[in-house]
Amino acid sequence: MDNEVEVVETPKKLTLFDKVKELLKKQLGSQAEVVDEITNQGDEFALVARALVSEMDIAKIYSELTGLKVLDGDDFENVESFNKISLEYLRNYHALPVSWDEDALVIALGTPYKRAQITHDLQMVLGLKVKFVYARFSLIERLQTSLYETHEDEMFDWDSDGSEEALQNLAKEAPVVRFVNDTFSRALDMDASDIHIEPLDHNFVVRCRVDGILQTVSEMPLNMFAAVSSRIKLIGGMNIAEHRLPQDGRTEMQIGKNKIDVRISSVPSTDGESIVMRILKKEVQNFSLASIGMGSETEKKYSSTIKLPHGIVLVVGPTGSGKSTTLYCSMNILNNDSNKILTVEDPVEYQIAGITQVHVKQSIGLTFASALRSFLRQDPDIILVGEIRDRETAEIAINAALTGHLVLSTLHTNDAAGAISRLQDMGVENFLISSALIGVLSQRLVRRVCPVCSGSGQAFDKESGEQKRCRNCGGNGFKGRLGIFEFLEVSDSVRKAINANKDSSEIATIAKSEGMITLREDGARKAKEGVTTVAEVSRVCQLDSE
């Protein structure tokens, strides 16, 4: 009988990347299965692009696994360029020299996979001992550009004769391209929603809107403005020589690991053109009603309503109150194999697999109303209309709801009951409103209290034992935003009030008597829970702070 040899399979040694993936799966919990799917190309930062984790989440995991200290923000305030290493080399290894002396060099890494190679190279060439720290990839990338390419920009002639040809050529020059790209990179680093570039008497300012509040990023010489504005117009497909009329443009950009969609608006002013750029991350898909701050009671009522087979649901509030995000949360709930979903948006802010999304193009006659008429021939179950702006769109949407479709859309009104008055003002008949409307969600966005410093702006430093400016929130005490909501269910009594032509205050009173939680009440609850403040709620919906 032959001797049987027992074959023992050698366990696979986990790489650093494998360990990172396992910890990310643990952190994501119910969404863990997407980690392998998204990172199958060996890029954990694809998870950042999809907003499933932040760069700082990844940084903390690397720190835990490698023992590298994490630096951020203020730690790089006094960093200078190190002229003994080329920018090409630094970019290849996602590295940035932080400090050095005659014997040693400290390098910050965006990805810590090639430490051995960097150590070997620099010890051989420079004879220096190498120590490492870790920093966010996007921060490393931005500092590489700002520290190692500014010497060319200082020698650059930013002036032009103002002709279209001169502006076209100026907009393509490397220092101009770098400045605009760095502006976008800094905005992404701050998690800004908008960039404002505004000319003044003697300079121009760059401001970013972070959590709904504008912050000045830089003040630049006025002679740079023509080149910068021309570059922005060029990438946005706008008329580079037109300075007298407002213009709109848009572009897609790849900034580091982020793919973004940018909406551009220019408006002439007394000092020049004011330019505003709205930043939309194209691949964000982890929306949920809970994640945007909707309380369980309101979420239960709203979720039940949008699962009804037909009717119209409106999400209302001023510009910038998060209405589109709420609609995307709703789409994620409704998006399954049994539903045919069509959307018409201006623009398509986020792309969702399994949903047919249409972008409005006024120039060729593709409006909300014309798209809606076409949709009804596509046999949809659910229709999303980005905004109801006029009577024609309102009536088509309502007729779609009355003929067996679920329709979701937005309006600009101050409260839920005000949506009914707004439809009436457009000329929609009361009996159509009462027959089709099944629910109205009103909302605002308030800033979240920073979880690290609990709103104080000061965080405890473990190494020094001192209180220092909180890095997580930049010292302002807030990080991120959440919604406050009121949801009006269209009950039989509300329908009777609509048909009787009652005003919005009377309808609101009926809804409150039936259990509607108002914006102020929801804001007060969240302030009491400590996730925001009374002052912050008061700022967005005039809540009495006393």
Side-chain angles (χ1 to χ4, degrees):
M1 184 176 177
D2 296 333
N3 291 330
E4 293 184 2
V5 178
E6 182 180 358
V7 177
V8 179
E9 190 174 309
T10 304
K12 178 184 176 183
K13 184 178 180 181
L14 290 177
T15 65
L16 177 60
F17 183 66
D18 292 329
K19 294 176 181 177
V20 170
K21 286 173 64 174
E22 289 305 311
L23 288 174
L24 286 170
K25 289 179 183 178
K26 184 177 180 181
Q27 180 173 323
L28 287 172
S30 62
Q31 294 180 300
E33 70 279 358
V34 303
V35 174
D36 287 324
E37 174 192 343
I38 295 174
T39 61
N40 59 6
Q41 299 300 317
D43 183 5
E44 67 275 33
F45 290 96
L47 295 167
V48 176
R50 296 275 289 273
L52 293 166
V53 297
S54 69
E55 282 191 275
M56 190 53 70
D57 290 330
I58 293 178
K60 289 174 181 176
I61 289 175
Y62 277 135
S63 176
E64 180 182 337
L65 292 173
T66 65
L68 298 184
K69 182 180 178 180
V70 178
L71 300 185
D72 198 43
D74 295 343
D75 296 314
F76 294 90
E77 188 173 344
N78 299 316
V79 172
E80 299 178 352
S81 60
F82 185 71
N83 58 16
K84 295 181 181 180
I85 305 177
S86 71
L87 177 58
E88 181 181 2
Y89 183 89
L90 294 177
R91 282 184 168 158
N92 184 47
Y93 289 102
H94 309 141
L96 184 82
V98 177
S99 62
W100 53 87
D101 55 30
E102 295 180 354
D103 301 315
L105 173 66
V106 178
I107 288 185
L109 297 174
T111 51
Y113 302 127
K114 300 178 180 179
R115 286 175 292 166
Q117 184 63 49
I118 297 174
T119 301
H120 175 267
D121 292 346
L122 299 186
Q123 285 181 343
M124 289 289 292
V125 176
L126 301 178
L128 296 174
K129 294 179 181 178
V130 182
K131 299 179 181 179
F132 295 99
V133 293
Y134 187 81
R136 290 177 292 118
F137 186 96
S138 61
L139 181 60
I140 293 285
E141 193 173 57
R142 178 169 69 79
L143 290 170
Q144 286 173 342
T145 299
S146 61
L147 290 173
Y148 288 84
E149 293 185 339
T150 50
H151 64 284
E152 295 180 30
D153 300 351
E154 291 169 359
M155 302 294 293
F156 182 69
D157 182 6
W158 293 85
D159 294 319
S160 76
D161 60 14
S163 68
E164 182 174 357
E165 182 180 1
L167 290 172
Q168 289 274 3
N169 292 332
L170 192 61
K172 298 173 184 176
E173 293 286 351
V176 183
V177 174
R178 278 197 296 270
F179 178 85
V180 173
N181 286 351
D182 184 59
T183 298
F184 280 112
S185 182
R186 293 183 73 177
L188 288 171
D189 196 31
M190 298 169 70
D191 200 21
S193 60
D194 305 86
I195 303 170
H196 293 242
I197 300 180
E198 302 157 331
L200 305 174
D201 288 338
H202 305 293
N203 60 3
F204 72 92
V205 296
V206 179
R207 299 195 292 169
C208 290
R209 189 177 296 279
V210 181
D211 295 336
I213 305 295
L214 281 171
Q215 301 178 15
T216 298
V217 174
S218 58
E219 298 183 12
M220 308 302 295
L222 193 59
N223 70 321
M224 293 175 58
F225 182 76
V228 172
S229 63
S230 296
R231 176 63 189 171
I232 292 168
K233 287 182 178 180
L234 182 67
I235 64 176
M238 302 156 73
N239 185 344
I240 208 168
E242 179 58 72
H243 308 289
R244 301 165 300 171
L245 297 173
Q247 294 189 70
D248 294 313
R250 64 179 299 166
T251 186
E252 292 183 358
M253 300 182 71
Q254 185 80 34
I255 304 293
K257 298 290 182 179
N258 295 285
K259 188 176 182 181
I260 60 173
D261 186 63
V262 184
R263 297 164 60 187
I264 305 169
S265 170
S266 70
V267 175
S269 69
T270 54
D271 295 312
E273 291 177 280
S274 172
I275 297 175
V276 176
M277 294 171 283
R278 178 83 184 275
I279 300 173
L280 304 169
K281 294 181 181 179
K282 295 181 69 64
E283 297 182 340
V284 178
Q285 295 184 11
N286 67 324
F287 297 117
S288 71
L289 296 175
S291 70
I292 62 173
M294 190 175 289
S296 58
E297 187 176 341
T298 301
E299 180 182 352
K300 182 179 179 180
K301 292 179 180 179
Y302 178 74
S303 297
S304 297
T305 302
I306 64 172
K307 291 175 183 176
L308 293 174
H310 54 81
I312 185 166
V313 178
L314 296 174
V315 180
V316 305
T319 300
S321 58
K323 299 186 297 295
S324 295
T325 300
T326 298
L327 287 180
Y328 282 111
C329 293
S330 306
M331 289 300 101
N332 275 347
I333 293 171
L334 300 170
N335 187 16
N336 56 55
D337 291 341
S338 63
N339 284 326
K340 169 76 171 180
I341 303 177
L342 298 175
T343 79
V344 54
E345 307 169 58
D346 186 17
V348 174
E349 297 189 3
Y350 304 111
Q351 296 172 348
I352 302 179
I355 295 178
T356 301
Q357 297 173 269
V358 176
H359 174 63
V360 165
K361 294 181 181 178
Q362 299 278 356
S363 59
I364 61 172
L366 181 55
T367 63
F368 284 117
S370 64
L372 266 175
R373 280 193 290 267
S374 299
F375 281 2
L376 296 178
R377 296 190 289 271
Q378 289 276 313
D379 188 30
D381 298 291
I382 300 165
I383 297 172
L384 184 150
V385 185
E387 182 183 349
I388 293 178
R389 298 175 178 172
D390 51 48
R391 178 177 178 174
E392 182 183 15
T393 306
E395 289 186 340
I396 297 171
I398 286 174
N399 286 330
L402 291 173
T403 54
H405 305 88
L406 178 68
V407 180
L408 289 85
S409 190
T410 71
L411 277 177
H412 290 277
T413 66
N414 290 328
D415 57 17
I420 296 164
S421 299
R422 182 76 181 97
L423 291 172
Q424 291 169 336
D425 291 342
M426 289 181 181
V428 182
E429 298 288 346
N430 284 334
F431 77 92
L432 290 175
I433 299 172
S434 63
S435 300
L437 191 63
I438 56 176
V440 183
L441 181 76
S442 178
Q443 64 180 76
R444 300 289 190 279
L445 290 176
V446 294
R447 291 180 293 171
R448 290 180 184 266
V449 168
C450 174
V452 175
C453 65
S454 300
S456 68
Q458 300 289 314
F460 182 74
D461 187 276
K462 292 181 180 179
E463 293 187 4
S464 65
E466 300 176 354
Q467 293 285 330
K468 293 187 176 182
R469 191 173 77 134
C470 178
R471 292 178 182 173
N472 187 57
C473 66
N476 63 31
F478 297 96
K479 182 67 174 179
R481 289 189 290 178
L482 76 159
I484 56 175
F485 304 90
E486 69 177 29
F487 183 58
L488 187 156
E489 293 180 280
V490 182
S491 62
D492 289 339
S493 53
V494 170
R495 287 191 178 91
K496 289 177 182 178
I498 295 171
N499 286 326
N501 205 33
K502 300 291 186 181
D503 63 28
S504 59
S505 62
E506 292 177 283
I507 292 173
T509 299
I510 294 170
K512 290 175 191 176
S513 70
E514 296 178 342
M516 181 179 78
I517 300 169
T518 67
L519 281 171
R520 295 183 177 188
E521 290 168 345
D522 192 40
R525 287 183 182 184
K526 290 182 168 74
K528 188 175 182 179
E529 291 168 0
V531 295
T532 188
T533 65
V534 171
E536 182 64 12
V537 175
S538 179
R539 181 179 67 84
V540 299
C541 65
Q542 295 80 50
L543 174 63
D544 187 353
S545 60
E546 296 184 358

